[in-house]
Amino acid sequence: VQLQASGGGSVQAGGSLRLSCGASGRTFSRYDMGWFRQAPGKDREFVAAIRWTGGSVYSADSVKERFTISRDNAKGTVYLQMNSLKPEDTAVYYCAADSPPVAILSARREESSFDYWGQGTQVTVSS
């Protein structure tokens, strides 16, 4: 499956952005999807994941009150709605996909649980 992330940009603290990740090549609806991010000089970290059905989501504690992951299987797209952005949210955001679905969604917080990755989109939050 090929992934294409978009929607990044520069915003002021407190603002919002919505990232999109379009998938093609395989049956998107059978893939668990995730978002990760990597800030300058830091390791890539988990942000959020969503089950292939869209019926279950799992988010990092640092974003769960502000970010929402969702998907539209008909459009082959997963979204990350980011509200109340903070300067520490500045990073390159990556979408990821993997199949078959895992039994416990929290397992998707590991990078190694995903086989397919998009190219990343930059998010910059200024204070």
Side-chain angles (χ1 to χ4, degrees):
V1 61
Q2 292 78 46
L3 304 174
Q4 180 73 37
S6 62
S10 298
V11 297
Q12 291 191 327
S16 298
L17 282 174
R18 188 176 80 155
L19 305 184
S20 299
C21 177
S24 61
R26 292 289 182 95
T27 307
F28 172 79
S29 61
R30 298 292 301 181
Y31 282 73
D32 290 343
M33 301 293 296
W35 287 99
F36 288 74
R37 66 185 181 185
Q38 187 167 22
K42 295 187 177 182
D43 293 335
R44 191 153 55 183
E45 66 174 358
F46 170 78
V47 176
I50 186 167
R51 193 168 292 287
W52 68 277
T53 60
S56 180
V57 300
Y58 178 72
S59 301
D61 289 343
S62 60
V63 305
K64 66 174 44 180
E65 300 299 325
R66 301 181 295 120
F67 293 7
T68 302
I69 187 171
S70 62
R71 66 190 294 161
D72 185 334
N73 285 347
K75 295 182 178 179
T77 303
V78 63
Y79 304 98
L80 185 68
Q81 178 66 45
M82 305 186 296
N83 299 327
S84 301
L85 282 161
K86 304 175 181 180
E88 51 263 44
D89 295 318
T90 294
V92 178
Y93 283 72
Y94 298 89
C95 60
D98 195 70
S99 183
V102 293
I104 301 175
L105 191 59
S106 60
R108 293 297 189 191
R109 71 179 301 115
E110 301 297 330
E111 286 187 61
S112 59
S113 73
F114 288 98
D115 279 344
Y116 302 97
W117 292 84
Q119 86 290 359
T121 185
Q122 176 71 47
V123 172
T124 302
V125 185
S126 58
S127 57

